[in-house]
Structure formats: structure tokens, C-alpha cells
Amino acid sequence: MFKSGNVTVMVADMKKAVKFYAETLGLELQHGDGHFAQIAAPGLTIGLLHLAGEQGSLPEKSGCMTIGFEVEDMESAIETLKTRGVQFHDSVEGKAANVTHFNDPEGNTLYLVCNR
């Protein structure tokens, strides 16, 4: 069912975060659009996300992470997980991907992503 996984890091300063992951750590910046950047690491994709845009303070979100699982068929994955007791709380249809969020038993946010 799952194709790969990634980690999304909520950041308060996108420019500083991109510089750290790409320049300081020497990882590959695959793309960035102001509020989201994708960093390639060996065996891992790291998403950097600033919910309000490129800059600004989000202290309640900064330092938080979510775990994403890429799927080939969103509907099938949702149905499979629903049969296992997973409750989904929102979906976002974007130009590049569809994303559906849910929580683990501790309340940590996880999501399914189906790239277009």
C-alpha cells in the first residue's frame, strides 16, 4: 500500500531552515515555493513547511513534525485504514498532490499524500 515516507518539519523562518538543511547539512533542495520546500536526504524526504508563508512567527507550530506516507491510490488507502479504525479529519487537493490528515493515538498528525 505505501510507496515511501517523508517527514515534514514546521518552521518559523523558511529561509533559515532551507539554508540549514541545504547548505549546512549539504542535502539537496528539490524545490521550494515560499511556504514549502522539499529536501532530499538519503532514504528520506524532508518537507519544510511554514503555514503562514515564507516568514513570520508560529511558535506553537515551530519545532513540530508530521509523518507522511505516499500512496498510489488515495481512495483505496483511506478505505483500508478506515477498516483498521483510522479516522481522517481533513483533505487538501492541491496542484501537485492530494493530502489527507489523520492522527496517531497520541494525537500526532500523520497524512497520506498522492502525487499527481
Side-chain angles (χ1 to χ4, degrees), residues 62-101:
S62 181
C64 297
M65 291 188 192
T66 64
I67 299 172
F69 299 99
E70 182 181 1
V71 297
E72 287 189 39
D73 182 343
M74 182 69 80
E75 290 180 25
S76 175
I78 289 171
E79 288 307 312
T80 297
L81 293 175
K82 279 184 177 180
T83 66
R84 298 176 185 170
V86 173
Q87 296 179 345
F88 293 88
H89 53 78
D90 67 58
S91 295
V92 177
E93 291 191 30
K95 293 178 186 176
N98 293 334
V99 178
T100 301
H101 296 91

Side-chain angles (χ1 to χ4, degrees), residues 9 13 21 34 52 57 74-75 93 111 113:
V9 180
D13 186 326
Y21 282 92
S57 178
M74 182 69 80
E75 290 180 25
E93 291 191 30
Y111 62 92
V113 59

Side-chain angles (χ1 to χ4, degrees), residues 8 14 18 31-38 46-50 53 111:
T8 301
M14 181 59 74
V18 168
H31 67 45
D33 68 0
H35 78 283
F36 181 79
Q38 185 168 307
I46 302 168
L48 304 175
L49 178 64
H50 189 288
Y111 62 92

